Amino acid sequence: MTETSAPMQSLTFAAWREVGDRTAGHVARRYVTLAELLVRLGSFGLDLTWKVRTDHPRLDAACAVLESTSTGTGIGTPELLALAAPDLQTVDGDFKGYSAGELVVILREFDSTSWDVCTADERLLREIRENYPDAEPTPPGEWDL
């Protein structure tokens, strides 16, 4: 699998979201999970092959399964989605999606506080901006592709 030749852009947004009515005092927090982001990829992500790296595979059995399953040729999006339980929080993780062997998207979870989405696909970047209005360009130097 190779790195992409297309110029990628990166957006960063908060992993924790407030939901509810602040004026009525009914505010809760929810976490944006890997499963949610995989679903947001829509048809763009359907046929991708993923390579997973997390910083804590020995501490979390689910993270260890994600990493080990994606070694070698990688894991398809439906399989990754099935393994990424709806409430899975990986703390620190890199999820690299490949199409025809070329890197096309990276989902990076940082310290369970933010997500970075890096891709050259404008439709996906627009989807992220629409669904996560706080998404901003990732500061320069934050990505080590």
Side-chain angles (χ1 to χ4, degrees):
M1 295 191 182
T2 62
E3 301 302 308
T4 185
S5 57
M8 292 182 129
Q9 298 177 52
S10 176
L11 296 174
T12 299
F13 58 93
W16 287 96
R17 322 300 294 173
E18 288 189 358
V19 293
D21 185 355
R22 187 175 281 283
T23 58
H26 301 207
V27 177
R29 288 173 40 115
R30 72 170 188 84
Y31 188 76
V32 176
T33 62
L34 173 62
E36 179 179 332
L37 289 179
L38 291 172
V39 170
R40 290 259 178 246
L41 295 178
S43 62
F44 172 85
L46 206 50
D47 295 323
L48 297 182
T49 300
W50 295 87
K51 301 296 263 174
V52 176
R53 185 203 54 80
T54 63
D55 283 350
H56 307 288
R58 284 185 248 161
L59 302 177
D60 187 332
C63 290
V65 169
L66 287 175
E67 279 198 32
S68 66
T69 305
S70 76
T71 58
T73 60
I75 181 174
T77 301
E79 293 82 10
L80 180 58
L81 188 54
L83 291 174
D87 59 350
L88 178 68
Q89 193 172 337
T90 60
V91 181
D92 291 310
D94 280 332
F95 306 88
K96 294 184 175 184
Y98 296 84
S99 177
E102 183 176 324
L103 181 63
V104 294
V105 65
I106 303 171
L107 307 176
R108 178 174 287 162
E109 184 179 19
F110 176 72
D111 196 32
S112 291
T113 60
S114 65
W115 279 99
D116 296 338
V117 176
C118 185
T119 184
D121 188 274
E122 285 297 328
R123 290 173 298 159
L124 178 53
L125 292 168
R126 189 171 38 257
E127 173 78 11
I128 296 300
R129 284 186 197 101
E130 288 173 7
N131 287 283
Y132 308 104
D134 61 320
E136 296 181 349
T138 303
E142 295 291 318
W143 276 88
D144 56 347
L145 298 176

